[in-house]
Amino acid sequence: MKKNIFLYVLLLITTAALAQPAKESYDKGISLKNGDQYEDALAAFRKTISLDANYTNAYYQAGWCCNELEKYEDALGYLNKFNPGNNDDIASKYVEIGYAYFNLENDDDAIKAYTTALDYHPYFGNAYRGLANVYLNSMEYENALENLELAIKYDEENSKQLYYKLGSFYNDMEKYDKAENILQKAVVYDPQSEESLIALGYTYFKLSKFNDGILQTNKAIFINPKSRLGYHYLANCYMGLNQKEKAMQAYNKLKAFDEDEAAILLEEMGN
C-alpha cells in the first residue's frame, strides 16, 4: 500500500515538473505569435508538444502558425491532433483546416471543413468568409454571394473588407439600390480604395445620380491619375447631365493613356 502511495506521489511530482516548462513554452509561443513572429512561435509550440504531448491547445496554435507560414500540409497534421472540448474551439479548428485545404487547392475538403465549423458555430464569420473565397475561386458566384451576405450579416465588424466584393456583385446583378448601400460602406471603410470609389461611381451612374457619380469618380482619379474606369464613368455621368464638353474632356484624358478604353467610351457617347 505504501509503495502504491509513493508511486502515485512520484507521478504527481513528475507531471507537475513537466507541466510548468510546457506552460512556459506555450505562453512564450503565444507572445511570439501576438508579435507576428510566427516561425519562432511555431518552434515554441513544437517544444510545448515535445514536453507534454497532451497539451492540446499547442496543436491548434502550431497549426495556425503553419497556415500563416504557408506550410499547409504541416498545418493539417497539427490541427487533426487538436481535440478541443467546446463548440467554439471545434469551429475554429475546422476553419483553419478549411483554410489549409483551400490553399492546397482542395476546394471540396475546404467546403466540408468550413461547413463543419458552421455546424458547431452557426454564426461564425470566419467560416462564411472562407466559404465565400472558395466559391469565388471556383466561380460559383451565387454561393459566393450568399456567403458574403451571411458574413456581413453575422460578423459585420470583421467583414468590412468584403463590402467592395458584395457591392460589385450587386452591380453585376443590376441591384443598384443594394449596391449603393454596401459600396457607401466600402468607401467609409477604405476611403483610399480606387476600386470602391469607381464601383460606387458606376452605381450612381446607373441610378441616374450623376453628380454623386462625378464626385466619386473624381476621388478615384485623384488617387490614380490614370484611372481607366474612373475617366470612363466620369464621362458617362457628364453625358447623363448632358454636359458633353466635360464628357469629351474626360474622354481626351483617357485617350492619352488608354486608346482602347477610350474607343469603347466614345462609342457609348454616340460619337
Side-chain angles (χ1 to χ4, degrees):
M1 182 69 177
K2 290 182 179 179
K3 182 178 180 182
N4 289 340
I5 293 174
F6 173 77
L7 290 173
Y8 177 70
V9 171
L10 181 62
L11 177 63
L12 288 178
I13 293 171
T14 303
T15 302
L18 290 172
Q20 186 59 33
K23 184 179 185 306
E24 289 175 358
S25 180
Y26 180 82
D27 290 345
K28 179 181 178 182
I30 293 295
S31 178
L32 289 165
K33 175 190 167 188
N34 290 340
D36 298 336
Q37 299 178 59
Y38 303 128
E39 199 73 67
D40 291 336
L42 177 59
F45 295 130
R46 283 174 170 163
K47 181 178 179 181
T48 302
I49 293 165
S50 71
L51 291 167
D52 183 356
N54 294 316
Y55 209 119
T56 188
N57 286 342
Y59 291 102
Y60 172 79
Q61 298 296 346
W64 192 96
C65 288
C66 284
N67 270 340
E68 288 298 306
L69 294 166
E70 301 182 6
K71 299 177 179 180
Y72 304 117
E73 294 284 3
D74 290 345
L76 290 172
Y78 284 115
L79 291 164
N80 285 323
K81 294 178 181 178
F82 174 48
N83 295 307
N86 64 70
N87 286 357
D88 285 352
D89 286 345
I90 295 171
S92 294
K93 166 183 174 173
Y94 281 103
V95 161
E96 289 301 317
I97 288 173
Y99 182 79
Y101 276 129
F102 172 65
N103 284 283
L104 290 168
E105 300 181 359
N106 187 338
D107 288 351
D108 289 342
D109 282 337
I111 290 169
K112 288 178 184 177
Y114 286 129
T115 302
T116 300
L118 290 169
D119 289 339
Y120 290 94
H121 188 337
Y123 309 113
F124 200 5
N126 280 345
Y128 288 118
R129 288 189 289 273
L131 282 170
N133 284 331
V134 177
Y135 287 126
L136 281 170
N137 186 60
S138 59
M139 296 185 288
E140 297 180 49
Y141 297 123
E142 289 188 9
N143 287 331
L145 174 62
E146 178 184 1
N147 283 282
L148 288 171
E149 289 175 332
L150 289 169
I152 289 173
K153 178 180 179 180
Y154 293 126
D155 188 19
E156 185 168 15
E157 183 60 31
N158 295 307
S159 300
K160 292 178 179 179
Q161 75 277 13
L162 302 180
Y163 288 143
Y164 166 72
K165 287 182 180 178
L166 182 57
S168 296
F169 266 118
Y170 287 143
N171 271 344
D172 291 341
M173 298 171 70
E174 301 182 6
K175 296 182 177 181
Y176 301 116
D177 289 331
K178 284 189 172 183
E180 178 183 12
N181 177 55
I182 292 296
L183 289 169
Q184 284 173 343
K185 292 181 179 181
V187 169
V188 170
Y189 170 66
D190 186 359
Q192 298 302 307
S193 170
E194 178 192 353
E195 289 181 326
S196 295
L197 290 164
I198 289 171
L200 182 56
Y202 174 78
T203 303
Y204 283 138
F205 166 66
K206 299 302 289 188
L207 290 170
S208 298
K209 297 182 178 182
F210 302 121
N211 285 315
D212 289 329
I214 289 166
L215 176 64
Q216 301 304 322
T217 50
N218 271 325
K219 287 180 181 178
I221 291 166
F222 181 79
I223 292 168
N224 177 14
K226 291 187 176 181
S227 178
R228 178 174 59 88
L229 292 178
Y231 282 113
H232 190 133
Y233 299 141
L234 176 63
N236 287 153
C237 287
Y238 279 130
M239 288 297 292
L241 292 171
N242 202 31
Q243 296 181 15
K244 295 183 180 179
E245 184 177 342
K246 289 185 176 180
M248 285 302 298
Q249 290 174 359
Y251 160 77
N252 286 325
K253 289 180 179 179
L254 175 60
K255 185 180 178 183
F257 65 86
D258 193 328
E259 292 190 0
D260 291 338
E261 188 70 28
I264 295 170
L265 171 60
L266 194 61
E267 186 175 346
E268 291 178 6
M269 292 167 62
N271 292 320

